[in-house]
Each structure stands twice: as structure tokens, then as C-alpha cells.
Amino acid sequence: MTRAWLWCLSLILSAAQAEDRDPFQPPASRPQCQLPEKAGAREWRLQGTLSDQTHQAAYITGPGDGHYFLQVGEYLPGTAWKAESIHRGKVLFRNTPACDKPFWQLSLTRESPDEE
């Protein structure tokens, strides 16, 4: 009898904690799935890539004037985005398969002379 009572109590408590959501609307985006380009006041920028026969690295700048060297398998600081592959002029990041968009690519771009 006590097991059944505990089970009912846990069911009631979990139902009380559940969020009310409109079943006709898509579920809210998970924070860890948010694309990094939308997360900060300043976009992440790929400044360059380095590679030799055994290693690849990417030089990336990010929010707060951060400067980072990333290798394959390392995470973009402060995010759940992991460097999947680094090629000449681009880095492919992967998040969990549960995300709507589990891949994000950061490409090398040149600033126009008008930008400061």
C-alpha cells in the first residue's frame, strides 16, 4: 500500500511541476540549442584556420573581445557547440541530435573596406 501511495504522490508532484504549453505550437527552443551567432551582442567570427598533416586549429573571436584557438573536439567557450571538423576557411560545429539544427558552420569572411 505504501508503494502505491508514494507512486501516486510522485505522479501528482511531477504533474504540478509540469509546464503548461500550447500543444499546437512548437516546443520552446532549448538554450543549449541556440545558435551561437544569436547568443551574444557580437557575432562569433572565424579569423583563420591552421592545419598540417595531423592537426587542425581555428582562430575565432567572440563576444567580449574573446580570442580562442580551437581544435577538433573542443567546445566553443560558453556553449554546447563542439568543433566537428576544421577545413580551410570553415569550421563545422555539432550540438546534440535533440536540437532542431544540430549543425552550425562558421566560415571565414572578409570585412568590406567600409566596415570598421
Side-chain angles (χ1 to χ4, degrees):
M1 174 92 179
T2 58
R3 279 189 187 189
W5 175 250
L6 288 174
W7 185 81
C8 288
L9 182 61
S10 66
L11 184 62
I12 291 169
L13 289 175
S14 65
Q17 292 176 349
E19 295 180 24
D20 290 332
R21 82 169 190 89
D22 184 352
F24 299 104
Q25 296 296 323
S29 177
R30 297 182 181 122
Q32 72 269 15
C33 294
Q34 184 178 13
L35 292 175
E37 63 191 11
K38 296 178 182 176
R42 182 175 155 218
E43 290 185 22
W44 292 92
R45 297 190 88 158
L46 178 61
Q47 300 296 329
T49 56
L50 307 166
S51 64
D52 64 16
Q53 293 176 346
T54 58
H55 293 87
Q56 296 84 30
Y59 174 53
I60 299 173
T61 57
D65 293 327
H67 298 269
Y68 309 97
F69 277 100
L70 287 182
Q71 294 183 10
V72 173
E74 294 182 334
Y75 287 89
L76 197 60
T79 73
W81 294 90
K82 183 192 239 182
E84 171 94 355
S85 63
I86 299 173
H87 301 285
R88 185 177 197 162
K90 64 183 174 182
V91 180
L92 181 66
F93 291 95
R94 177 191 290 261
N95 206 320
T96 65
C99 294
D100 292 337
K101 296 179 182 179
F103 293 100
W104 176 61
Q105 182 173 304
L106 188 58
S107 298
L108 186 61
T109 58
R110 294 184 182 204
E111 292 182 9
S112 67
D114 296 337
E115 293 182 358
E116 294 182 325

